């Protein structure tokens, strides 16, 4: 299996409830290494660009509002098969359907406020990482 990088966001529901350490403990316990990290307050333009693929969806406005309502932690995770592995560690988008022990089952509040983002494929991982990090900010 290849060593991959994936893009992670700890969403506003996590920063607001002071849970960044608890969520990152789950990520690190799964063997994923945090190789870049910063806490930012996303602008509307950043959130609209990041979730551009969803712009025709009925929840787009709510999603942008939610992502800009409080700080987030953006980070790059590294590990074997990191993209699929982190998706597993996050659990299903809807926390009610997420498996026990996943981030979303343990911490998420709702379908929208679902605690974490993780890239879904190598191409999106590369694009998402490049939106928030310069190459020299990733130190594995
Ligand atoms: P993900 O890859 O598991 O994050 O899921 P998606 O790419 O389908 O959706 C992106 C994000 O949009 C999700 O993580 C949620 O925060 C939000 N979202 C998805 N579906 C809904 C919905 O039906 N209602 C609301 N309010 N937010 C949603």
């Amino acid at each position: 299996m290849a060593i991959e990088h994936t893009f992670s966001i700890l969403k506003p529901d996590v920063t607001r409830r002071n849970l960044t350490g608890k969520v990152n403990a789950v990520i690190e316990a799964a063997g994923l290494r945090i190789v870049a990290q910063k806490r930012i307050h996303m602008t509307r333009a950043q959130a609209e660009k990041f979730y551009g693929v969803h712009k025709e969806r009925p929840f787009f406005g709510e999603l942008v509002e939610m992502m800009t309502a409080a700080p987030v932690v953006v980070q790059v995770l590294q590990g074997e098969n990191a993209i699929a592995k982190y998706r597993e560690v996050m659990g299903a988008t809807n926390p009610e359907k997420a498996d026990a022990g996943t981030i979303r089952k343990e911490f998420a509040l709702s379908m929208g406020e679902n605690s974490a983002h993780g890239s879904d494929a190598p191409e999106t991982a590369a694009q998402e990482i490049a939106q928030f990090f310069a190459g020299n900010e990733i130190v594995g």
Side-chain angles (χ1 to χ4, degrees), residues 11 51 53-54 57-60 62-63 66-67 87 90-94 104 110-120:
K11 294 185 178 182
Y51 279 120
V53 68
H54 292 311
R57 306 284 282 277
F59 58 82
F60 183 67
E62 202 179 311
L63 177 57
M66 181 275 285
M67 289 301 287
R87 300 276 302 181
M90 286 197 305
T93 309
N94 180 349
R104 285 166 166 170
S110 64
M111 182 91 162
E113 292 193 296
N114 62 358
S115 300
H117 166 83
S119 310
D120 60 5

Side-chain angles (χ1 to χ4, degrees), residues 26 30 32 81-92 98-104:
V26 175
L32 293 163
N81 214 14
I83 295 168
K85 184 170 212 175
Y86 181 46
R87 300 276 302 181
E88 260 176 51
V89 170
M90 286 197 305
D99 290 339
T102 61
I103 291 168
R104 285 166 166 170

Side-chain angles (χ1 to χ4, degrees), residues 5-80:
H5 283 162
T6 191
F7 183 67
S8 157
I9 306 177
L10 307 186
K11 294 185 178 182
D13 69 276
V14 170
T15 62
R16 196 186 309 121
R17 290 178 292 155
N18 216 19
L19 293 172
T20 61
K22 285 200 165 131
V23 175
N24 275 334
V26 175
I27 289 171
E28 292 184 332
L32 293 163
R33 180 172 291 271
I34 301 165
V35 294
Q37 184 182 60
K38 57 192 165 191
R39 185 176 174 105
I40 61 169
H41 200 135
M42 256 195 213
T43 64
R44 170 169 289 274
Q46 280 176 314
E48 286 177 349
K49 178 177 176 190
F50 185 76
Y51 279 120
V53 68
H54 292 311
K55 68 176 178 295
E56 306 302 335
R57 306 284 282 277
F59 58 82
F60 183 67
E62 202 179 311
L63 177 57
V64 170
E65 285 301 315
M66 181 275 285
M67 289 301 287
T68 55
V72 297
V73 178
V74 290
Q75 44 196 23
V76 179
L77 309 181
Q78 175 183 286
E80 268 189 18

